[in-house]
Amino acid sequence: MKLVAGIDIGNSTTEVAIANIENGLNFLSSSIGKTSGIKGTVENIAGMMLVLKDACGKINVDISDLEAICINEATPVIGDVAMETITETVITESTMIGHNPDTPGGIGLGIGKIIYLEELVNVGSEEVICIIPKHIHFERAAKELNLAMERGAKINGAIAQMDDGVIICNRLIKKIPIVDEVAFIDKIPMGMIGAVEVANPGETIKTLSNPYGLATIFNLSSKETKQVIPVARALIGNRSAVVIRTPKGDVKERTIPAGKLIFMGKRIKEIGIEEGGEKIMEALSEVCPLKDITGEAGTNVGGMIERVRQVMGELTKQHLNEIGIGDILAVDTFLPQKVQGGVAGEFALENAVALAAMVKTSKLPMEHIAQKLREETKVKVLIEGVEANMAVLGGLTTPGADKPLVILDMGGGSTDSAYIGKSNSIKSVHHAGAGEMVSMLIKSELGIDDFSLAEDIKKYPLAKVESLFNLRYEDGSVCFFQKSLPSSLFARVVVVKENEMVPIPTKHTIDKIRMVRREAKRRVFITNVLRALKEISPNNNIRSIDFVVLLGGSAMDFEIPEMISDELSHYGIVCGRGNIRGEEGPRNAVATGLVISCYNKLRSRENEG
């Protein structure tokens, strides 16, 4: 046998294909594993060796039995993502406090002077809201509130430190709105006017989430009303809230120096991050073909761009001048910002721009990788061909596909695209932004701390556990179980994986989580797909393309291929997941293409000879 292996180093995974090319082209084995280190660095060797050993083990041969190992001729491309907040609102002096506990008591809106429960004996005809610290038992609190009400005290609401809102309210002769679980209750200023609002179950507050409602309660001027907009925004969607005006009432808003991006292409153009993702992408299209991108010194975005260069420079041992930004994807999103002065860890969603930057270096690192792999395996290592070209060769092995063809290789850090015409001419393009950026958007917009959970939300469908014996999927279908589910999952929104259900620690509804997930995918993948097809199609005419084959890890997603297919149906394009060699699915395209390229060159030499 004359065995040749093709190895594709991706941002997230490393893939191998092995074929016997002695009498024709006969693929025998394949394997996939996690990429070790950043793509295009010598740290990739460890991962390459693991998948190579696995693929060889499947056909009972040693690595030393290989005739050659082919890797792709590609300038290393890495993607980095960062959130750049456009503005940050700092609320000082506890001017407005918003809170949304799980178990508020009562219903309605209550306005009054903030006092401690012990002060009720001194209350006359004024309207009050009572503070109930944790050292006061709920039965005592209810008893004292009832006695005061019977004396004619106008108690319009209460704020409790413990989780006692419902059980206190159930014992009252007059139901009042009660917001509980206020951890830092000692920070609440006494003697000031406050408002407590609790909505009906399944509904959200209406007055405290409305800046004009706040203005009415606290007699705010038009200027002050404009300043409390962040407070109202922070309370939108809550079932309950408490807002208090402090003595100083000082609200300050400042703009973080998010900075400017400087695009260098056929001309130089500057664009501020505060312009938003759509304007940034418009500016980028005006300067293409892009040569490099820099960021304004001393700003958030400038630091992000230079950090990416430095990381790649250290890994590849190249001077920063040799490393350029090949592409950038900017997406408008929201970023939770902690409200300074809050009493229960309140957050407000602020406008932000998510950036994915793609870095290109020289070809030198691939030569280092080839040399190191040659030393490790004692096998001839060939830098066979450009990655996108190899992906096209592999993509053409999908049954039913034909030229002219476009492959869209959607990985973790970048979206790589290539077009092959009937004359076999190939045009390729690489764009920043793929699966990792989608996960980052989901993590940010849902306020989740765990990146792996955001990955699960991206990859798997959602369900709501309605009882211990059934759940309802996001599409409305119901699944029943003979054995009871864990009680910790009851009434929770969960991610349904192959063998487990992962609860999502958030108060967002299943519809909101689904919307965030789908919007994140649309903003990243649909944006990149459309700009890729426009750039590589003949005469920038997307309708001239007949077939689009989706490749890479993101092509295995349960909804991304359908979203792209729906979008491209308007152009009469046949689009779907690739099935490399009729058996690998959307994986292994580049590795397969490397082997095919090697075989074609060998056969060409034999014909010439």
Side-chain angles (χ1 to χ4, degrees):
M1 290 193 298
K2 195 171 184 179
L3 301 176
V4 173
I7 305 181
D8 169 33
I9 309 163
N11 287 299
S12 303
T13 59
T14 298
E15 301 173 0
V16 170
I18 297 178
N20 179 12
I21 63 172
E22 188 171 17
N23 296 306
L25 184 60
N26 181 25
F27 282 92
L28 305 175
S29 175
S30 64
S31 183
I32 182 172
K34 189 172 178 60
T35 297
S36 55
I38 292 180
K39 175 181 177 180
T41 65
V42 291
E43 282 77 11
N44 300 152
I45 297 297
M48 295 169 74
M49 291 298 295
L50 286 175
V51 292
L52 200 54
K53 287 177 183 177
D54 183 59
C56 288
K58 291 178 180 179
I59 53 176
N60 298 316
V61 299
D62 294 325
I63 293 177
S64 57
D65 296 328
L66 297 174
E67 183 78 14
I69 298 171
C70 303
I71 63 176
N72 43 296
E73 178 188 323
T75 55
V77 176
I78 65 169
D80 189 24
V81 289
M83 288 290 195
E84 303 305 335
T85 309
I86 296 174
T87 62
E88 178 186 13
T89 301
V90 180
I91 301 175
T92 62
E93 298 293 335
S94 300
T95 303
M96 298 288 174
I97 300 163
H99 187 35
N100 189 32
D102 292 322
T103 56
I107 302 294
L109 173 69
I111 304 168
K113 179 182 175 181
I114 304 295
I115 66 168
Y116 279 112
L117 184 70
E118 293 90 338
E119 297 179 78
L120 277 176
V121 293
N122 302 320
V123 171
S125 61
E126 61 184 334
E127 298 181 337
V128 298
I129 290 177
C130 290
I131 299 293
I132 306 172
K134 63 181 179 181
H135 69 269
I136 297 180
H137 192 267
F138 66 86
E139 288 186 340
R140 176 190 162 191
K143 182 179 179 181
E144 294 192 16
L145 287 170
N146 280 332
L147 288 174
M149 289 177 182
E150 289 174 351
R151 291 196 308 266
K154 297 178 181 178
I155 305 171
N156 293 340
I159 304 170
Q161 190 167 18
M162 299 299 288
D163 182 16
D164 296 335
V166 173
I167 54 179
I168 292 175
C169 189
N170 288 343
R171 288 164 169 78
L172 297 181
I173 58 175
K174 173 190 171 186
K175 304 305 180 186
I176 59 173
I178 303 175
V179 174
D180 57 7
E181 299 179 46
V182 179
F184 307 111
I185 206 164
D186 56 303
K187 291 186 177 181
I188 295 178
M190 294 296 107
M192 303 308 298
I193 297 299
V196 175
E197 184 176 9
V198 177
N200 287 306
E203 297 182 11
T204 60
I205 59 173
K206 297 178 176 63
T207 304
L208 299 186
S209 60
N210 176 5
Y212 299 117
L214 294 174
T216 303
I217 293 169
F218 298 106
N219 297 317
L220 302 179
S221 65
S222 58
K223 182 179 179 181
E224 290 170 327
T225 302
K226 187 175 182 181
Q227 289 178 322
V228 299
I229 287 175
V231 178
R233 284 178 51 204
L235 300 178
I236 291 174
N238 286 6
R239 190 194 160 194
S240 64
V242 51
V243 177
I244 302 164
R245 187 167 191 181
T246 61
K248 293 184 180 179
D250 183 21
V251 180
K252 296 180 180 178
E253 184 174 305
R254 64 184 177 88
T255 302
I256 291 178
K260 296 178 181 178
L261 285 169
I262 304 164
F263 298 131
M264 289 167 279
K266 58 186 180 185
R267 63 191 180 92
I268 296 176
K269 186 174 182 64
E270 295 185 359
I271 181 78
I273 289 293
E274 67 276 3
E275 295 287 333
E278 187 174 336
K279 293 291 185 183
I280 291 172
M281 297 310 294
E282 288 178 6
L284 177 62
S285 65
E286 292 175 12
V287 302
C288 286
L290 186 68
K291 296 178 181 177
D292 197 7
I293 300 174
T294 60
E296 183 182 357
T299 65
N300 287 347
V301 70
M304 176 226 170
I305 296 294
E306 292 310 309
R307 183 172 65 252
V308 175
R309 289 187 206 273
Q310 289 172 6
V311 168
M312 200 60 191
E314 292 170 2
L315 291 169
T316 61
K317 311 301 181 188
Q318 295 183 82
H319 194 275
L320 295 184
N321 292 339
E322 299 176 6
I323 300 171
I325 304 296
D327 185 56
I328 202 165
L329 176 64
V331 175
D332 291 320
T333 184
F334 297 100
L335 187 64
Q337 293 288 320
K338 188 170 184 178
V339 176
Q340 303 300 318
V343 294
E346 295 86 6
F347 285 83
L349 286 177
E350 291 296 329
N351 292 326
V353 174
L355 296 175
M358 190 175 68
V359 175
K360 290 188 177 182
T361 68
S362 72
K363 296 178 183 178
L364 187 62
M366 296 309 295
E367 295 171 0
H368 288 325
I369 291 174
Q371 181 182 349
K372 182 72 174 176
L373 188 60
R374 197 175 296 119
E375 294 171 357
E376 289 273 344
T377 61
K378 311 302 180 187
V379 175
K380 179 170 63 176
V381 178
L382 307 173
I383 301 178
E384 183 59 36
V386 177
E387 183 173 1
N389 296 21
M390 299 302 102
V392 167
L393 291 178
L396 282 168
T397 66
T398 295
D402 197 4
K403 296 177 282 189
L405 171 87
V406 168
I407 62 98
L408 295 171
D409 190 354
M410 303 176 294
S414 63
T415 303
D416 306 325
S417 315
Y419 169 85
I420 182 170
K422 292 188 178 295
S423 62
N424 291 328
S425 59
I426 297 176
K427 183 179 180 181
S428 62
V429 66
H430 306 277
H431 287 131
E436 290 178 6
M437 190 176 193
V438 171
S439 298
M440 184 190 69
L441 291 173
I442 292 172
K443 177 177 179 291
S444 171
E445 295 189 15
L446 293 180
I448 296 172
D449 295 328
D450 187 355
F451 189 83
S452 62
L453 176 59
E455 281 275 302
D456 287 342
I457 293 173
K458 176 184 72 176
K459 293 179 181 178
Y460 302 102
L462 304 168
K464 178 71 177 287
V465 179
E466 295 184 329
S467 76
L468 294 181
F469 292 93
N470 82 286
L471 58 78
R472 186 178 300 274
Y473 283 95
E474 60 181 81
D475 64 358
S477 60
V478 180
C479 180
F480 294 91
F481 301 88
Q482 291 185 338
K483 294 183 178 180
S484 66
L485 297 170
S487 58
S488 59
L489 300 181
F490 179 67
R492 302 287 295 275
V493 177
V494 297
V495 178
V496 185
K497 302 176 69 172
E498 290 91 345
N499 300 312
E500 65 174 323
M501 298 178 194
V502 182
I504 303 174
T506 175
K507 297 176 183 176
H508 296 301
T509 65
I510 188 171
D511 291 335
K512 173 64 182 295
I513 298 171
R514 179 177 184 270
M515 182 193 73
V516 168
R517 182 194 71 211
R518 289 181 62 85
E519 274 298 297
K521 291 177 180 179
R522 184 188 63 79
R523 283 180 283 169
V524 173
F525 285 107
I526 299 300
T527 298
N528 269 349
V529 164
L530 292 179
R531 65 178 180 142
L533 294 181
K534 186 176 180 181
E535 287 184 38
I536 62 177
S537 58
N539 301 316
N540 296 330
N541 181 15
I542 297 180
R543 295 187 181 279
S544 63
I545 298 170
D546 294 333
F547 298 93
V548 170
V549 175
L550 305 177
L551 306 173
S554 294
M556 300 176 70
D557 185 89
F558 72 102
E559 60 186 354
I560 290 175
E562 285 73 18
M563 293 172 72
I564 295 174
S565 183
D566 287 345
E567 185 69 27
L568 298 186
S569 64
H570 307 307
Y571 301 95
I573 296 173
V574 179
C575 175
R577 289 183 183 89
N579 189 15
I580 306 305
R581 307 198 310 272
E583 60 184 42
E584 295 285 348
R587 293 284 197 183
N588 212 257
V590 175
T592 295
L594 287 165
V595 175
I596 294 173
S597 176
C598 182
Y599 171 74
N600 289 342
K601 287 182 180 179
L602 181 64
R603 190 173 63 176
S604 178
R605 292 194 201 102
E606 290 174 351
N607 292 337
E608 290 174 0

